[in-house]
PDB file of all heavy atoms in Angstrom:
ATOM      1  N   THR A1008       8.799 -16.051  15.602  1.00  0.00           N
ATOM      2  CA  THR A1008       8.197 -15.314  16.707  1.00  0.00           C
ATOM      3  C   THR A1008       6.758 -14.883  16.458  1.00  0.00           C
ATOM      4  O   THR A1008       6.039 -14.591  17.403  1.00  0.00           O
ATOM      5  CB  THR A1008       9.024 -14.059  17.044  1.00  0.00           C
ATOM      6  OG1 THR A1008       9.099 -13.223  15.882  1.00  0.00           O
ATOM      7  CG2 THR A1008      10.425 -14.430  17.513  1.00  0.00           C
ATOM      8  N   ALA A1009       6.319 -14.826  15.190  1.00  0.00           N
ATOM      9  CA  ALA A1009       4.936 -14.423  14.906  1.00  0.00           C
ATOM     10  C   ALA A1009       3.984 -15.507  15.383  1.00  0.00           C
ATOM     11  O   ALA A1009       4.245 -16.704  15.217  1.00  0.00           O
ATOM     12  CB  ALA A1009       4.754 -14.177  13.406  1.00  0.00           C
ATOM     13  N   GLY A1010       2.877 -15.091  15.971  1.00  0.00           N
ATOM     14  CA  GLY A1010       1.907 -16.055  16.470  1.00  0.00           C
ATOM     15  C   GLY A1010       1.034 -16.629  15.378  1.00  0.00           C
ATOM     16  O   GLY A1010       0.732 -17.817  15.360  1.00  0.00           O
ATOM     17  N   ALA A1011       0.608 -15.785  14.446  1.00  0.00           N
ATOM     18  CA  ALA A1011      -0.276 -16.226  13.369  1.00  0.00           C
ATOM     19  C   ALA A1011      -0.249 -15.183  12.261  1.00  0.00           C
ATOM     20  O   ALA A1011       0.143 -14.038  12.485  1.00  0.00           O
ATOM     21  CB  ALA A1011      -1.695 -16.397  13.897  1.00  0.00           C
ATOM     22  N   VAL A1012      -0.671 -15.592  11.083  1.00  0.00           N
ATOM     23  CA  VAL A1012      -0.837 -14.670   9.964  1.00  0.00           C
ATOM     24  C   VAL A1012      -2.241 -14.887   9.423  1.00  0.00           C
ATOM     25  O   VAL A1012      -2.872 -15.908   9.692  1.00  0.00           O
ATOM     26  CB  VAL A1012       0.225 -14.890   8.864  1.00  0.00           C
ATOM     27  CG1 VAL A1012       1.618 -14.582   9.398  1.00  0.00           C
ATOM     28  CG2 VAL A1012       0.174 -16.303   8.309  1.00  0.00           C
ATOM     29  N   ASP A1013      -2.745 -13.914   8.684  1.00  0.00           N
ATOM     30  CA  ASP A1013      -4.106 -14.044   8.177  1.00  0.00           C
ATOM     31  C   ASP A1013      -4.147 -13.709   6.694  1.00  0.00           C
ATOM     32  O   ASP A1013      -3.113 -13.491   6.064  1.00  0.00           O
ATOM     33  CB  ASP A1013      -5.063 -13.153   8.979  1.00  0.00           C
ATOM     34  CG  ASP A1013      -4.633 -11.696   8.997  1.00  0.00           C
ATOM     35  OD1 ASP A1013      -3.658 -11.334   8.312  1.00  0.00           O
ATOM     36  OD2 ASP A1013      -5.281 -10.896   9.687  1.00  0.00           O
ATOM     37  N   GLY A1014      -5.366 -13.678   6.170  1.00  0.00           N
ATOM     38  CA  GLY A1014      -5.517 -13.395   4.749  1.00  0.00           C
ATOM     39  C   GLY A1014      -4.995 -14.567   3.930  1.00  0.00           C
ATOM     40  O   GLY A1014      -5.053 -15.723   4.355  1.00  0.00           O
ATOM     41  N   ASN A1015      -4.468 -14.262   2.789  1.00  0.00           N
ATOM     42  CA  ASN A1015      -3.976 -15.291   1.862  1.00  0.00           C
ATOM     43  C   ASN A1015      -2.510 -15.610   2.174  1.00  0.00           C
ATOM     44  O   ASN A1015      -1.660 -15.568   1.297  1.00  0.00           O
ATOM     45  CB  ASN A1015      -4.148 -14.794   0.421  1.00  0.00           C
ATOM     46  CG  ASN A1015      -4.074 -15.908  -0.583  1.00  0.00           C
ATOM     47  OD1 ASN A1015      -4.036 -17.082  -0.228  1.00  0.00           O
ATOM     48  ND2 ASN A1015      -4.038 -15.547  -1.847  1.00  0.00           N
ATOM     49  N   ALA A1016      -2.232 -15.896   3.447  1.00  0.00           N
ATOM     50  CA  ALA A1016      -0.860 -16.150   3.895  1.00  0.00           C
ATOM     51  C   ALA A1016      -0.829 -17.374   4.798  1.00  0.00           C
ATOM     52  O   ALA A1016      -1.820 -17.712   5.441  1.00  0.00           O
ATOM     53  CB  ALA A1016      -0.320 -14.931   4.657  1.00  0.00           C
ATOM     54  N   ARG A1017       0.343 -18.000   4.811  1.00  0.00           N
ATOM     55  CA  ARG A1017       0.564 -19.096   5.750  1.00  0.00           C
ATOM     56  C   ARG A1017       1.878 -18.842   6.472  1.00  0.00           C
ATOM     57  O   ARG A1017       2.800 -18.233   5.923  1.00  0.00           O
ATOM     58  CB  ARG A1017       0.562 -20.446   5.053  1.00  0.00           C
ATOM     59  CG  ARG A1017       1.730 -20.674   4.134  1.00  0.00           C
ATOM     60  CD  ARG A1017       1.665 -22.081   3.510  1.00  0.00           C
ATOM     61  NE  ARG A1017       2.767 -22.319   2.631  1.00  0.00           N
ATOM     62  CZ  ARG A1017       3.968 -22.772   3.003  1.00  0.00           C
ATOM     63  NH1 ARG A1017       4.207 -23.051   4.264  1.00  0.00           N
ATOM     64  NH2 ARG A1017       4.927 -22.957   2.121  1.00  0.00           N
ATOM     65  N   LEU A1018       1.963 -19.292   7.695  1.00  0.00           N
ATOM     66  CA  LEU A1018       3.140 -19.096   8.532  1.00  0.00           C
ATOM     67  C   LEU A1018       4.096 -20.272   8.374  1.00  0.00           C
ATOM     68  O   LEU A1018       3.674 -21.428   8.425  1.00  0.00           O
ATOM     69  CB  LEU A1018       2.727 -18.951   9.999  1.00  0.00           C
ATOM     70  CG  LEU A1018       3.817 -18.680  11.012  1.00  0.00           C
ATOM     71  CD1 LEU A1018       4.523 -17.356  10.727  1.00  0.00           C
ATOM     72  CD2 LEU A1018       3.237 -18.680  12.424  1.00  0.00           C
ATOM     73  N   VAL A1019       5.375 -19.960   8.183  1.00  0.00           N
ATOM     74  CA  VAL A1019       6.433 -20.970   8.118  1.00  0.00           C
ATOM     75  C   VAL A1019       7.345 -20.732   9.310  1.00  0.00           C
ATOM     76  O   VAL A1019       7.941 -19.663   9.440  1.00  0.00           O
ATOM     77  CB  VAL A1019       7.238 -20.866   6.802  1.00  0.00           C
ATOM     78  CG1 VAL A1019       8.372 -21.891   6.796  1.00  0.00           C
ATOM     79  CG2 VAL A1019       6.336 -21.023   5.599  1.00  0.00           C
ATOM     80  N   THR A1020       7.450 -21.721  10.197  1.00  0.00           N
ATOM     81  CA  THR A1020       8.272 -21.566  11.395  1.00  0.00           C
ATOM     82  C   THR A1020       9.548 -22.397  11.340  1.00  0.00           C
ATOM     83  O   THR A1020      10.424 -22.227  12.172  1.00  0.00           O
ATOM     84  CB  THR A1020       7.471 -21.955  12.655  1.00  0.00           C
ATOM     85  OG1 THR A1020       7.027 -23.306  12.512  1.00  0.00           O
ATOM     86  CG2 THR A1020       6.272 -21.032  12.849  1.00  0.00           C
ATOM     87  N   GLY A1021       9.650 -23.273  10.363  1.00  0.00           N
ATOM     88  CA  GLY A1021      10.823 -24.143  10.241  1.00  0.00           C
ATOM     89  C   GLY A1021      11.978 -23.441   9.552  1.00  0.00           C
ATOM     90  O   GLY A1021      11.973 -22.220   9.354  1.00  0.00           O
ATOM     91  N   ASP A1022      12.952 -24.225   9.161  1.00  0.00           N
ATOM     92  CA  ASP A1022      14.151 -23.697   8.510  1.00  0.00           C
ATOM     93  C   ASP A1022      13.794 -23.046   7.177  1.00  0.00           C
ATOM     94  O   ASP A1022      13.231 -23.693   6.286  1.00  0.00           O
ATOM     95  CB  ASP A1022      15.158 -24.832   8.286  1.00  0.00           C
ATOM     96  CG  ASP A1022      16.413 -24.331   7.622  1.00  0.00           C
ATOM     97  OD1 ASP A1022      17.167 -23.577   8.259  1.00  0.00           O
ATOM     98  OD2 ASP A1022      16.628 -24.681   6.432  1.00  0.00           O
ATOM     99  N   ALA A1023      14.125 -21.769   7.027  1.00  0.00           N
ATOM    100  CA  ALA A1023      13.761 -21.001   5.839  1.00  0.00           C
ATOM    101  C   ALA A1023      14.415 -21.557   4.579  1.00  0.00           C
ATOM    102  O   ALA A1023      13.754 -21.700   3.543  1.00  0.00           O
ATOM    103  CB  ALA A1023      14.136 -19.531   6.028  1.00  0.00           C
ATOM    104  N   VAL A1024      15.699 -21.875   4.632  1.00  0.00           N
ATOM    105  CA  VAL A1024      16.401 -22.360   3.441  1.00  0.00           C
ATOM    106  C   VAL A1024      15.804 -23.680   2.962  1.00  0.00           C
ATOM    107  O   VAL A1024      15.587 -23.878   1.758  1.00  0.00           O
ATOM    108  CB  VAL A1024      17.917 -22.474   3.710  1.00  0.00           C
ATOM    109  CG1 VAL A1024      18.622 -23.206   2.581  1.00  0.00           C
ATOM    110  CG2 VAL A1024      18.520 -21.085   3.922  1.00  0.00           C
ATOM    111  N   THR A1025      15.494 -24.566   3.873  1.00  0.00           N
ATOM    112  CA  THR A1025      14.883 -25.849   3.511  1.00  0.00           C
ATOM    113  C   THR A1025      13.535 -25.626   2.838  1.00  0.00           C
ATOM    114  O   THR A1025      13.231 -26.233   1.801  1.00  0.00           O
ATOM    115  CB  THR A1025      14.728 -26.749   4.755  1.00  0.00           C
ATOM    116  OG1 THR A1025      16.019 -26.982   5.312  1.00  0.00           O
ATOM    117  CG2 THR A1025      14.052 -28.064   4.413  1.00  0.00           C
ATOM    118  N   GLU A1026      12.718 -24.740   3.402  1.00  0.00           N
ATOM    119  CA  GLU A1026      11.388 -24.492   2.843  1.00  0.00           C
ATOM    120  C   GLU A1026      11.475 -23.759   1.505  1.00  0.00           C
ATOM    121  O   GLU A1026      10.732 -24.092   0.567  1.00  0.00           O
ATOM    122  CB  GLU A1026      10.530 -23.685   3.833  1.00  0.00           C
ATOM    123  CG  GLU A1026       9.140 -23.387   3.335  1.00  0.00           C
ATOM    124  CD  GLU A1026       8.249 -24.608   3.103  1.00  0.00           C
ATOM    125  OE1 GLU A1026       8.649 -25.752   3.404  1.00  0.00           O
ATOM    126  OE2 GLU A1026       7.126 -24.416   2.596  1.00  0.00           O
ATOM    127  N   ILE A1027      12.360 -22.795   1.361  1.00  0.00           N
ATOM    128  CA  ILE A1027      12.499 -22.087   0.083  1.00  0.00           C
ATOM    129  C   ILE A1027      12.989 -23.051  -0.995  1.00  0.00           C
ATOM    130  O   ILE A1027      12.508 -23.021  -2.127  1.00  0.00           O
ATOM    131  CB  ILE A1027      13.435 -20.872   0.224  1.00  0.00           C
ATOM    132  CG1 ILE A1027      12.802 -19.828   1.158  1.00  0.00           C
ATOM    133  CG2 ILE A1027      13.737 -20.245  -1.140  1.00  0.00           C
ATOM    134  CD1 ILE A1027      13.757 -18.733   1.601  1.00  0.00           C
ATOM    135  N   THR A1028      13.916 -23.925  -0.659  1.00  0.00           N
ATOM    136  CA  THR A1028      14.399 -24.930  -1.604  1.00  0.00           C
ATOM    137  C   THR A1028      13.256 -25.828  -2.052  1.00  0.00           C
ATOM    138  O   THR A1028      13.107 -26.129  -3.243  1.00  0.00           O
ATOM    139  CB  THR A1028      15.534 -25.765  -0.965  1.00  0.00           C
ATOM    140  OG1 THR A1028      16.596 -24.887  -0.589  1.00  0.00           O
ATOM    141  CG2 THR A1028      16.048 -26.826  -1.920  1.00  0.00           C
ATOM    142  N   ARG A1029      12.425 -26.236  -1.122  1.00  0.00           N
ATOM    143  CA  ARG A1029      11.275 -27.083  -1.444  1.00  0.00           C
ATOM    144  C   ARG A1029      10.299 -26.341  -2.354  1.00  0.00           C
ATOM    145  O   ARG A1029       9.832 -26.876  -3.368  1.00  0.00           O
ATOM    146  CB  ARG A1029      10.566 -27.526  -0.164  1.00  0.00           C
ATOM    147  CG  ARG A1029       9.422 -28.516  -0.402  1.00  0.00           C
ATOM    148  CD  ARG A1029       8.621 -28.776   0.861  1.00  0.00           C
ATOM    149  NE  ARG A1029       7.777 -27.650   1.228  1.00  0.00           N
ATOM    150  CZ  ARG A1029       6.650 -27.312   0.599  1.00  0.00           C
ATOM    151  NH1 ARG A1029       6.243 -27.982  -0.458  1.00  0.00           N
ATOM    152  NH2 ARG A1029       5.938 -26.287   1.009  1.00  0.00           N
ATOM    153  N   LEU A1030      10.003 -25.091  -2.027  1.00  0.00           N
ATOM    154  CA  LEU A1030       9.063 -24.296  -2.824  1.00  0.00           C
ATOM    155  C   LEU A1030       9.578 -24.058  -4.240  1.00  0.00           C
ATOM    156  O   LEU A1030       8.813 -24.082  -5.201  1.00  0.00           O
ATOM    157  CB  LEU A1030       8.778 -22.962  -2.135  1.00  0.00           C
ATOM    158  CG  LEU A1030       7.974 -23.043  -0.842  1.00  0.00           C
ATOM    159  CD1 LEU A1030       8.004 -21.713  -0.104  1.00  0.00           C
ATOM    160  CD2 LEU A1030       6.544 -23.490  -1.127  1.00  0.00           C
ATOM    161  N   LYS A1031      10.886 -23.813  -4.369  1.00  0.00           N
ATOM    162  CA  LYS A1031      11.466 -23.601  -5.702  1.00  0.00           C
ATOM    163  C   LYS A1031      11.329 -24.846  -6.564  1.00  0.00           C
ATOM    164  O   LYS A1031      11.174 -24.742  -7.784  1.00  0.00           O
ATOM    165  CB  LYS A1031      12.954 -23.229  -5.601  1.00  0.00           C
ATOM    166  CG  LYS A1031      13.187 -21.777  -5.275  1.00  0.00           C
ATOM    167  CD  LYS A1031      14.629 -21.410  -5.448  1.00  0.00           C
ATOM    168  CE  LYS A1031      14.991 -21.457  -6.910  1.00  0.00           C
ATOM    169  NZ  LYS A1031      16.217 -20.846  -7.294  1.00  0.00           N
ATOM    170  N   ALA A1032      11.368 -26.015  -5.990  1.00  0.00           N
ATOM    171  CA  ALA A1032      11.297 -27.263  -6.740  1.00  0.00           C
ATOM    172  C   ALA A1032       9.875 -27.573  -7.215  1.00  0.00           C
ATOM    173  O   ALA A1032       9.688 -28.400  -8.098  1.00  0.00           O
ATOM    174  CB  ALA A1032      11.823 -28.413  -5.889  1.00  0.00           C
ATOM    175  N   GLU A1033       8.888 -26.907  -6.649  1.00  0.00           N
ATOM    176  CA  GLU A1033       7.499 -27.141  -7.030  1.00  0.00           C
ATOM    177  C   GLU A1033       7.180 -26.484  -8.369  1.00  0.00           C
ATOM    178  O   GLU A1033       7.871 -25.577  -8.817  1.00  0.00           O
ATOM    179  CB  GLU A1033       6.549 -26.529  -5.992  1.00  0.00           C
ATOM    180  CG  GLU A1033       6.519 -27.219  -4.669  1.00  0.00           C
ATOM    181  CD  GLU A1033       5.534 -26.564  -3.704  1.00  0.00           C
ATOM    182  OE1 GLU A1033       5.099 -25.414  -3.959  1.00  0.00           O
ATOM    183  OE2 GLU A1033       5.208 -27.202  -2.698  1.00  0.00           O
ATOM    184  N   ASP A1034       6.087 -26.933  -8.974  1.00  0.00           N
ATOM    185  CA  ASP A1034       5.536 -26.236 -10.126  1.00  0.00           C
ATOM    186  C   ASP A1034       4.802 -25.002  -9.611  1.00  0.00           C
ATOM    187  O   ASP A1034       4.322 -24.983  -8.486  1.00  0.00           O
ATOM    188  CB  ASP A1034       4.554 -27.136 -10.876  1.00  0.00           C
ATOM    189  CG  ASP A1034       5.245 -28.292 -11.585  1.00  0.00           C
ATOM    190  OD1 ASP A1034       6.429 -28.131 -11.957  1.00  0.00           O
ATOM    191  OD2 ASP A1034       4.603 -29.343 -11.756  1.00  0.00           O
ATOM    192  N   GLY A1035       4.702 -24.007 -10.459  1.00  0.00           N
ATOM    193  CA  GLY A1035       3.960 -22.812 -10.073  1.00  0.00           C
ATOM    194  C   GLY A1035       4.600 -21.572 -10.629  1.00  0.00           C
ATOM    195  O   GLY A1035       5.642 -21.621 -11.280  1.00  0.00           O
ATOM    196  N   GLY A1036       3.956 -20.458 -10.374  1.00  0.00           N
ATOM    197  CA  GLY A1036       4.421 -19.177 -10.870  1.00  0.00           C
ATOM    198  C   GLY A1036       5.659 -18.700 -10.128  1.00  0.00           C
ATOM    199  O   GLY A1036       6.095 -19.301  -9.137  1.00  0.00           O
ATOM    200  N   PRO A1037       6.227 -17.601 -10.606  1.00  0.00           N
ATOM    201  CA  PRO A1037       7.446 -17.070  -9.996  1.00  0.00           C
ATOM    202  C   PRO A1037       7.225 -16.642  -8.547  1.00  0.00           C
ATOM    203  O   PRO A1037       6.113 -16.306  -8.152  1.00  0.00           O
ATOM    204  CB  PRO A1037       7.800 -15.877 -10.880  1.00  0.00           C
ATOM    205  CG  PRO A1037       6.543 -15.508 -11.578  1.00  0.00           C
ATOM    206  CD  PRO A1037       5.737 -16.761 -11.695  1.00  0.00           C
ATOM    207  N   MET A1038       8.311 -16.687  -7.790  1.00  0.00           N
ATOM    208  CA  MET A1038       8.270 -16.282  -6.384  1.00  0.00           C
ATOM    209  C   MET A1038       9.102 -15.018  -6.201  1.00  0.00           C
ATOM    210  O   MET A1038      10.146 -14.861  -6.830  1.00  0.00           O
ATOM    211  CB  MET A1038       8.835 -17.383  -5.482  1.00  0.00           C
ATOM    212  CG  MET A1038       8.061 -18.681  -5.550  1.00  0.00           C
ATOM    213  SD  MET A1038       8.595 -19.919  -4.329  1.00  0.00           S
ATOM    214  CE  MET A1038      10.337 -20.049  -4.599  1.00  0.00           C
ATOM    215  N   ASP A1039       8.618 -14.138  -5.336  1.00  0.00           N
ATOM    216  CA  ASP A1039       9.378 -12.964  -4.909  1.00  0.00           C
ATOM    217  C   ASP A1039       9.701 -13.136  -3.438  1.00  0.00           C
ATOM    218  O   ASP A1039       8.877 -13.646  -2.671  1.00  0.00           O
ATOM    219  CB  ASP A1039       8.568 -11.682  -5.097  1.00  0.00           C
ATOM    220  CG  ASP A1039       8.654 -11.121  -6.503  1.00  0.00           C
ATOM    221  OD1 ASP A1039       9.373 -11.689  -7.339  1.00  0.00           O
ATOM    222  OD2 ASP A1039       7.996 -10.099  -6.757  1.00  0.00           O
ATOM    223  N   ILE A1040      10.885 -12.701  -3.050  1.00  0.00           N
ATOM    224  CA  ILE A1040      11.285 -12.758  -1.648  1.00  0.00           C
ATOM    225  C   ILE A1040      11.532 -11.334  -1.174  1.00  0.00           C
ATOM    226  O   ILE A1040      12.104 -10.521  -1.897  1.00  0.00           O
ATOM    227  CB  ILE A1040      12.529 -13.658  -1.450  1.00  0.00           C
ATOM    228  CG1 ILE A1040      12.796 -13.900   0.036  1.00  0.00           C
ATOM    229  CG2 ILE A1040      13.740 -13.118  -2.170  1.00  0.00           C
ATOM    230  CD1 ILE A1040      13.815 -15.014   0.298  1.00  0.00           C
ATOM    231  N   GLY A1041      11.072 -11.015   0.018  1.00  0.00           N
ATOM    232  CA  GLY A1041      11.253  -9.684   0.572  1.00  0.00           C
ATOM    233  C   GLY A1041      11.562  -9.745   2.049  1.00  0.00           C
ATOM    234  O   GLY A1041      11.119 -10.649   2.758  1.00  0.00           O
ATOM    235  N   GLY A1042      12.316  -8.767   2.473  1.00  0.00           N
ATOM    236  CA  GLY A1042      12.768  -8.728   3.850  1.00  0.00           C
ATOM    237  C   GLY A1042      14.241  -9.065   3.881  1.00  0.00           C
ATOM    238  O   GLY A1042      14.659 -10.099   3.334  1.00  0.00           O
ATOM    239  N   ALA A1043      15.031  -8.190   4.458  1.00  0.00           N
ATOM    240  CA  ALA A1043      16.489  -8.318   4.391  1.00  0.00           C
ATOM    241  C   ALA A1043      17.022  -9.607   5.009  1.00  0.00           C
ATOM    242  O   ALA A1043      17.895 -10.250   4.432  1.00  0.00           O
ATOM    243  CB  ALA A1043      17.138  -7.112   5.055  1.00  0.00           C
ATOM    244  N   THR A1044      16.523  -9.998   6.150  1.00  0.00           N
ATOM    245  CA  THR A1044      17.050 -11.180   6.831  1.00  0.00           C
ATOM    246  C   THR A1044      16.709 -12.451   6.059  1.00  0.00           C
ATOM    247  O   THR A1044      17.568 -13.306   5.843  1.00  0.00           O
ATOM    248  CB  THR A1044      16.505 -11.256   8.270  1.00  0.00           C
ATOM    249  OG1 THR A1044      16.855 -10.040   8.956  1.00  0.00           O
ATOM    250  CG2 THR A1044      17.074 -12.436   9.018  1.00  0.00           C
ATOM    251  N   LEU A1045      15.460 -12.574   5.629  1.00  0.00           N
ATOM    252  CA  LEU A1045      15.048 -13.745   4.860  1.00  0.00           C
ATOM    253  C   LEU A1045      15.798 -13.802   3.534  1.00  0.00           C
ATOM    254  O   LEU A1045      16.315 -14.850   3.147  1.00  0.00           O
ATOM    255  CB  LEU A1045      13.540 -13.718   4.621  1.00  0.00           C
ATOM    256  CG  LEU A1045      12.969 -14.896   3.839  1.00  0.00           C
ATOM    257  CD1 LEU A1045      13.210 -16.207   4.581  1.00  0.00           C
ATOM    258  CD2 LEU A1045      11.478 -14.675   3.589  1.00  0.00           C
ATOM    259  N   ALA A1046      15.872 -12.679   2.828  1.00  0.00           N
ATOM    260  CA  ALA A1046      16.574 -12.658   1.540  1.00  0.00           C
ATOM    261  C   ALA A1046      18.054 -12.977   1.717  1.00  0.00           C
ATOM    262  O   ALA A1046      18.657 -13.639   0.871  1.00  0.00           O
ATOM    263  CB  ALA A1046      16.397 -11.301   0.864  1.00  0.00           C
ATOM    264  N   ALA A1047      18.652 -12.528   2.820  1.00  0.00           N
ATOM    265  CA  ALA A1047      20.070 -12.814   3.061  1.00  0.00           C
ATOM    266  C   ALA A1047      20.318 -14.312   3.164  1.00  0.00           C
ATOM    267  O   ALA A1047      21.300 -14.826   2.626  1.00  0.00           O
ATOM    268  CB  ALA A1047      20.545 -12.104   4.326  1.00  0.00           C
ATOM    269  N   ALA A1048      19.421 -15.036   3.825  1.00  0.00           N
ATOM    270  CA  ALA A1048      19.579 -16.485   3.946  1.00  0.00           C
ATOM    271  C   ALA A1048      19.504 -17.136   2.568  1.00  0.00           C
ATOM    272  O   ALA A1048      20.300 -18.027   2.245  1.00  0.00           O
ATOM    273  CB  ALA A1048      18.502 -17.062   4.863  1.00  0.00           C
ATOM    274  N   ALA A1049      18.575 -16.690   1.736  1.00  0.00           N
ATOM    275  CA  ALA A1049      18.447 -17.243   0.383  1.00  0.00           C
ATOM    276  C   ALA A1049      19.638 -16.845  -0.480  1.00  0.00           C
ATOM    277  O   ALA A1049      20.119 -17.638  -1.289  1.00  0.00           O
ATOM    278  CB  ALA A1049      17.139 -16.766  -0.246  1.00  0.00           C
ATOM    279  N   MET A1050      20.118 -15.632  -0.298  1.00  0.00           N
ATOM    280  CA  MET A1050      21.260 -15.139  -1.075  1.00  0.00           C
ATOM    281  C   MET A1050      22.519 -15.936  -0.749  1.00  0.00           C
ATOM    282  O   MET A1050      23.254 -16.350  -1.649  1.00  0.00           O
ATOM    283  CB  MET A1050      21.467 -13.652  -0.747  1.00  0.00           C
ATOM    284  CG  MET A1050      22.347 -12.895  -1.704  1.00  0.00           C
ATOM    285  SD  MET A1050      22.581 -11.148  -1.219  1.00  0.00           S
ATOM    286  CE  MET A1050      20.918 -10.548  -1.027  1.00  0.00           C
ATOM    287  N   ARG A1051      22.781 -16.154   0.535  1.00  0.00           N
ATOM    288  CA  ARG A1051      23.988 -16.870   0.965  1.00  0.00           C
ATOM    289  C   ARG A1051      24.016 -18.306   0.472  1.00  0.00           C
ATOM    290  O   ARG A1051      25.083 -18.883   0.315  1.00  0.00           O
ATOM    291  CB  ARG A1051      24.120 -16.838   2.486  1.00  0.00           C
ATOM    292  CG  ARG A1051      24.665 -15.529   3.023  1.00  0.00           C
ATOM    293  CD  ARG A1051      25.033 -15.616   4.490  1.00  0.00           C
ATOM    294  NE  ARG A1051      23.913 -15.922   5.357  1.00  0.00           N
ATOM    295  CZ  ARG A1051      23.065 -15.040   5.855  1.00  0.00           C
ATOM    296  NH1 ARG A1051      23.210 -13.763   5.592  1.00  0.00           N
ATOM    297  NH2 ARG A1051      22.083 -15.417   6.635  1.00  0.00           N
ATOM    298  N   THR A1052      22.843 -18.891   0.239  1.00  0.00           N
ATOM    299  CA  THR A1052      22.788 -20.287  -0.192  1.00  0.00           C
ATOM    300  C   THR A1052      22.529 -20.426  -1.691  1.00  0.00           C
ATOM    301  O   THR A1052      22.280 -21.537  -2.168  1.00  0.00           O
ATOM    302  CB  THR A1052      21.713 -21.054   0.602  1.00  0.00           C
ATOM    303  OG1 THR A1052      20.463 -20.380   0.478  1.00  0.00           O
ATOM    304  CG2 THR A1052      22.103 -21.173   2.063  1.00  0.00           C
TER     305      THR A1052
END
């Protein structure tokens, strides 16, 4: 539902679980997840 984000952020409008799975498979530093609804989707999977 968000129209846009700014600063050092990018908007993800697709399936959250698919995108989080993809991001976890990448190289890079640790990731933190915040927000109850988003974290619940990651927790359930």
